[in-house]
Amino acid sequence: MLIVTYFMAALGFYSGTLVEAIEPAFFSLLGVVLVISLVLNLYRKRSIPGRLWNLMAVAVLVFFIANHMLASQSLIVSASRFLTILLAMKLFDLNTHRDHFIIYAIVFFQMLAAAASTVSLVFFPLLVLFIIGSIFAMIILNLKKDFLQVNPEEDPPSGVFDLPFLASVVTVSVVSLTITFALFFLIPRMGVGFFEGKTLDTVKVSGFSDTVEIGSIGSVKRDSTIVMRVEVKSTATTGGGPLYLRGMALEEYDGMRWKRTTRRNFLLRKTPSGVFNVGRPSGSVLEQKILLEPLSTDVLFGATHPVRISVTFPNLWTDGSGSVHLPSPPLSRIEYRVWSSDAALPPGPEGVTPVHTDLSYIENGPAGARLKKLSLDVTDGMASAVDKAEAVKRYLEKNYSYTLDPGEGDGVNPIDDFLFYTKEGYCEHFASSFVLLLRAAGVPARLVTGFLQGEWNSLGDYYIVRQSDAHSWAEVYVEGEGWKTFDPTPPVGLAPPASRSSAFLYLDLMRLKWSRYIISFTFMDQKRIAENLEGHSARLMREFKSRFSTPPELPARALMLFGGIALLVAAVFMKTRGHRLAGTASRVPWFYIEMLRILEKKGIRRGKAETPMEFALRVGDPEVRAVTHAYEVERYGGRKLGGEEASRVRGQLETLKGPKRALPS
């Protein structure tokens, strides 16, 4: 019993570690306490009296309430701490069956807390082990309780809880899990407000606010934290180039930072089909399915340029520049679909506002004059916006180098340093310089922040996008075509990340499927599954009717073959059933059947509701009780009686047969 209880306690302890907001040091300390309690229990040393334990439990409850109100502000986090401390304490007080049951109840609530706060794949095997262990533990507790009620002075026969018994419990657990999964996919989905809250640590991202400092994106370029996974039908759909996942457009530059000035947000409402229309498509359309981690921004990402979005939120917002915003930053993973077009706006002047050609920094800034002169030199002889953009792009790629550790020059700000002194930097420097040089040449342009496509997972046909894939590029307004994407960063700064091992890609695919089909399983998924099943069933019925509406005459040999198969199946069934019946009868030892026959002749019959030992106690004869004990050893202990034991049982039966043997009726 102790082994099973500590197995369950270990499951509860590990499930607590899946609550990501709790510090590892907390579990390290309590892990030591867990080991100490195990040693004390093995040597049957009790360290906490019952009353003291109750007082400590109350103290921990008070600590839990205070921690929730003053510190964590998260019910799941503080409850997980409370349950883990309570579990560690209770392991020092295992005196009765009730104490073991309390341990199992605590572990159950720890599993609930883990289920509400993690999307880790580890939770599934943990849940399977919990189900098997809890069923095994409950059966042992009930059997021991019943046995001790009848035999308070004896322990249960050895060998009862052996491997065959464990195998039967595992079989029952598998059946239970199968039924559970069936119910999971059949029961309608609903939100439970009590658990709807922050379930994951928010990923802190830079470069997606109304004001973005130069250098903010560079600070996260070495962070490999995954921020999203983007499914596309084929890499060919991106036109052979990298996939730009657009976040925000920024218009105003003051020398140190970029600002978003188009603050007039437009409320987007869902169409009857459940889709938000962001803009009108122009050119080819690319569809993406995105699984977004909880980020510290309300920006909704999608390939350049989003024109339609399907997401569960009731409202979305846009600022008119093609940027899309959620009502608030997400507190858990969200999944949505985006349809993106080549151009953000249809041809026309409505896409250009004075801010996109703002020259205040160039005309008034300390380095504006030389920046304007450089722009005129680079774009000299170019007439169209596209030609000027291509000329600036070639100039930057040829004369400047890419690095995540740019030096410091004598410039008045980072961009002045980059253009005229160090001539080295990363995407923010290249994109900012590109926009300013084009504006100085009279071309409307703006800075865009987002992510580059990341690593392609060929096993699942999706991109793994990390913090290190954060990127800046530019958009240029081309008359008659709308806003077009230009990226002046040299190819070395656009190189895809090194491919990871197949094992990593496979595990990441499993995480994606787990989150998609288990964690984020919704009513719409149920509806889609039902519609697919209905469609398949209808097709099968049509095919069946078309083939068998006029049944052909079966040849005589086919009829004989089918008849022979049917007879063979019937014979196997009857034989198996006979073996099963014989096996059922053979499980009752012969000597117990003989004892019942002897007692029946004496007018003593066992009641239908009586257990063997209850019947023996009612009879009140030591020989009957001894034979019943031997029956339990062989029937439930899985052990045949030895020669001496069998001889003793035969002698006891002979004693019972004696004509002068007086037995109570």
Side-chain angles (χ1 to χ4, degrees):
M1 195 69 234
L2 187 65
I3 296 175
V4 177
T5 298
Y6 267 87
F7 173 76
M8 296 294 291
L11 292 180
F13 185 82
Y14 188 77
S15 67
T17 64
L18 298 180
V19 181
E20 299 176 358
I22 301 180
E23 305 80 5
F26 175 80
F27 290 102
S28 300
L29 177 61
L30 288 183
V32 176
V33 175
L34 202 74
V35 174
I36 294 173
S37 70
L38 175 60
V39 174
L40 293 176
N41 279 297
L42 288 175
Y43 287 96
R44 300 184 180 274
K45 294 183 179 181
R46 307 301 180 197
S47 300
I48 302 180
R51 289 185 180 180
L52 178 59
W53 188 89
N54 292 332
L55 291 175
M56 293 177 65
V58 172
V60 172
L61 177 61
V62 173
F63 168 77
F64 155 67
I65 296 174
N67 178 68
H68 174 61
M69 297 178 65
L70 303 176
S72 73
Q73 299 293 324
S74 170
L75 178 63
I76 292 177
V77 172
S78 52
S80 297
R81 289 196 181 103
F82 168 67
L83 291 170
T84 306
I85 295 173
L86 203 63
L87 175 68
M89 289 169 48
K90 190 60 185 174
L91 289 172
F92 289 92
D93 181 42
L94 297 177
N95 298 309
T96 65
H97 286 164
R98 179 175 172 274
D99 297 325
H100 290 270
F101 182 79
I102 291 174
I103 291 290
Y104 307 148
I106 294 173
V107 173
F108 171 74
F109 285 108
Q110 285 181 303
M111 295 294 294
L112 283 183
S117 60
T118 184
V119 292
S120 172
L121 281 173
V122 178
F123 181 75
F124 180 69
L126 202 66
L127 177 63
V128 173
L129 292 175
F130 171 76
I131 292 175
I132 296 174
S134 58
I135 293 175
F136 189 77
M138 290 299 104
I139 292 176
I140 291 177
L141 276 178
N142 281 282
L143 287 178
K144 289 189 70 174
K145 180 181 177 182
D146 292 341
F147 186 87
L148 290 176
Q149 284 179 348
V150 180
N151 305 280
E153 304 297 330
E154 297 184 21
D155 291 329
S158 60
V160 172
F161 310 117
D162 54 5
L163 288 178
F165 176 73
L166 177 61
S168 64
V169 172
V170 172
T171 302
V172 172
S173 303
V174 170
V175 174
S176 301
L177 284 171
T178 304
I179 296 174
T180 300
F181 272 102
L183 293 175
F184 174 83
F185 288 105
L186 292 175
I187 293 177
R189 303 290 99 191
M190 64 185 70
V192 183
F194 185 75
F195 287 108
E196 282 185 342
K198 181 178 178 181
T199 59
L200 293 172
D201 285 340
T202 300
V203 179
K204 294 178 175 59
V205 292
S206 300
F208 305 105
S209 60
D210 290 347
T211 301
V212 177
E213 299 279 344
I214 296 294
S216 60
I217 290 182
S219 62
V220 300
K221 294 290 285 183
R222 293 183 175 89
D223 188 350
S224 62
T225 303
I226 295 177
V227 295
M228 72 181 86
R229 295 172 177 85
V230 183
E231 293 185 55
V232 292
K233 294 181 179 179
S234 167
T235 53
T237 56
T238 62
L243 179 68
Y244 289 90
L245 297 162
R246 192 179 189 274
M248 290 187 61
L250 304 164
E251 302 93 358
E252 182 180 304
Y253 178 70
D254 65 2
M256 297 300 295
R257 63 190 63 83
W258 283 92
K259 297 180 182 179
R260 179 169 71 100
T261 57
T262 53
R263 301 180 184 277
R264 187 161 60 95
N265 289 333
F266 299 94
L267 176 64
L268 300 173
R269 297 190 182 276
K270 280 186 178 180
T271 64
S273 61
V275 175
F276 294 95
N277 289 321
V278 182
R280 285 171 288 176
S282 175
S284 60
V285 175
L286 172 67
E287 179 183 352
Q288 317 113 62
K289 183 164 65 175
I290 300 176
L291 182 66
L292 185 69
E293 298 293 322
L295 306 180
S296 60
T297 177
D298 61 1
V299 176
L300 204 61
F301 298 89
T304 305
H305 296 273
V307 293
R308 286 191 300 146
I309 296 177
S310 174
V311 67
T312 57
F313 287 86
N315 297 309
L316 293 178
W317 299 83
T318 181
D319 57 10
S321 69
S323 303
V324 180
H325 300 265
L326 295 166
S328 62
L331 297 178
S332 60
R333 285 190 177 112
I334 59 172
E335 183 180 340
Y336 58 99
R337 290 178 182 268
V338 182
W339 290 264
S340 301
S341 176
D342 288 345
L345 295 172
E350 66 270 27
V352 180
T353 60
V355 73
H356 296 115
T357 55
D358 176 50
L359 298 177
S360 57
Y361 169 75
I362 299 172
E363 292 176 348
N364 303 322
R370 55 186 173 188
L371 190 150
K372 190 170 185 178
K373 180 179 182 304
L374 177 62
S375 172
L376 294 176
D377 292 341
V378 173
T379 61
D380 184 37
M382 305 297 175
S384 69
V386 173
D387 289 341
K388 290 180 179 180
E390 291 291 351
V392 174
K393 183 174 181 293
R394 286 193 300 270
Y395 173 79
L396 292 175
E397 291 178 348
K398 180 179 179 181
N399 296 283
Y400 297 81
S401 59
Y402 182 89
T403 178
L404 290 177
D405 299 301
E408 293 186 4
D410 296 328
V412 295
N413 55 51
I415 300 304
D416 190 43
D417 258 352
F418 172 75
L419 283 175
F420 302 106
Y421 294 96
T422 64
K423 294 190 177 184
E424 61 179 12
Y426 42 87
C427 58
E428 278 183 293
H429 300 90
F430 283 91
S432 298
S433 301
F434 179 84
V435 171
L436 294 174
L437 289 171
L438 279 182
R439 287 186 180 182
V443 178
R446 62 193 182 195
L447 185 79
V448 178
T449 59
F451 293 91
L452 214 51
Q453 63 191 22
E455 179 182 0
W456 176 251
N457 188 333
S458 58
L459 299 176
D461 290 346
Y462 66 92
Y463 290 104
I464 303 171
V465 183
R466 296 179 171 82
Q467 282 264 54
S468 56
D469 298 313
H471 192 55
S472 293
W473 61 94
E475 288 178 353
V476 177
Y477 190 82
V478 179
E479 189 68 32
E481 297 184 36
W483 289 97
K484 304 292 288 185
T485 297
F486 284 85
D487 192 349
T489 301
V492 66
L494 305 178
S499 298
R500 307 215 174 203
S501 65
S502 299
F504 170 83
L505 297 179
Y506 180 77
L507 287 175
D508 193 78
L509 175 62
M510 293 296 293
R511 293 188 191 99
L512 175 65
K513 298 302 181 183
W514 171 261
S515 181
R516 174 65 187 85
Y517 295 110
I518 302 297
I519 303 300
S520 304
F521 189 73
T522 64
F523 173 74
M524 296 305 297
D525 296 312
Q526 291 179 313
K527 183 180 178 182
R528 187 160 48 248
I529 291 174
E531 290 174 348
N532 290 338
L533 290 176
E534 184 179 4
H536 287 305
S537 301
R539 284 194 295 272
L540 288 174
M541 287 301 297
R542 287 195 298 269
E543 185 176 353
F544 180 81
K545 289 179 179 179
S546 64
R547 290 192 178 187
F548 298 102
S549 56
T550 55
E553 296 183 2
L554 294 176
R557 290 185 178 180
L559 289 174
M560 292 175 62
L561 177 61
F562 290 145
I565 293 174
L567 289 174
L568 180 61
V569 171
V572 171
F573 173 77
M574 293 301 294
K575 185 174 181 181
T576 304
R577 184 170 182 271
H579 280 309
R580 188 165 62 249
L581 292 174
T584 301
S586 64
R587 285 199 295 268
V588 180
W590 66 269
F591 53 83
Y592 188 74
I593 297 175
E594 178 66 15
M595 184 191 74
L596 294 179
R597 186 182 63 80
I598 294 170
L599 295 176
E600 190 172 348
K601 284 184 178 181
K602 295 178 180 290
I604 302 174
R605 292 180 176 83
R606 176 183 163 189
K608 292 183 179 180
E610 283 184 306
T611 65
M613 190 55 68
E614 288 174 343
F615 175 59
L617 292 176
R618 179 169 65 84
V619 173
D621 186 86
E623 307 296 339
V624 174
R625 183 169 176 177
V627 174
T628 302
H629 181 73
Y631 155 76
E632 288 180 335
V633 170
E634 186 162 313
R635 176 72 185 276
Y636 301 114
R639 177 175 66 85
K640 290 290 185 181
L641 298 181
E644 184 177 345
E645 291 174 313
S647 299
R648 186 164 57 250
V649 169
R650 289 190 182 92
Q652 291 160 349
L653 290 176
E654 291 299 326
T655 303
L656 286 175
K657 287 180 182 178
K660 297 182 180 180
R661 181 74 171 182
L663 296 172
S665 57

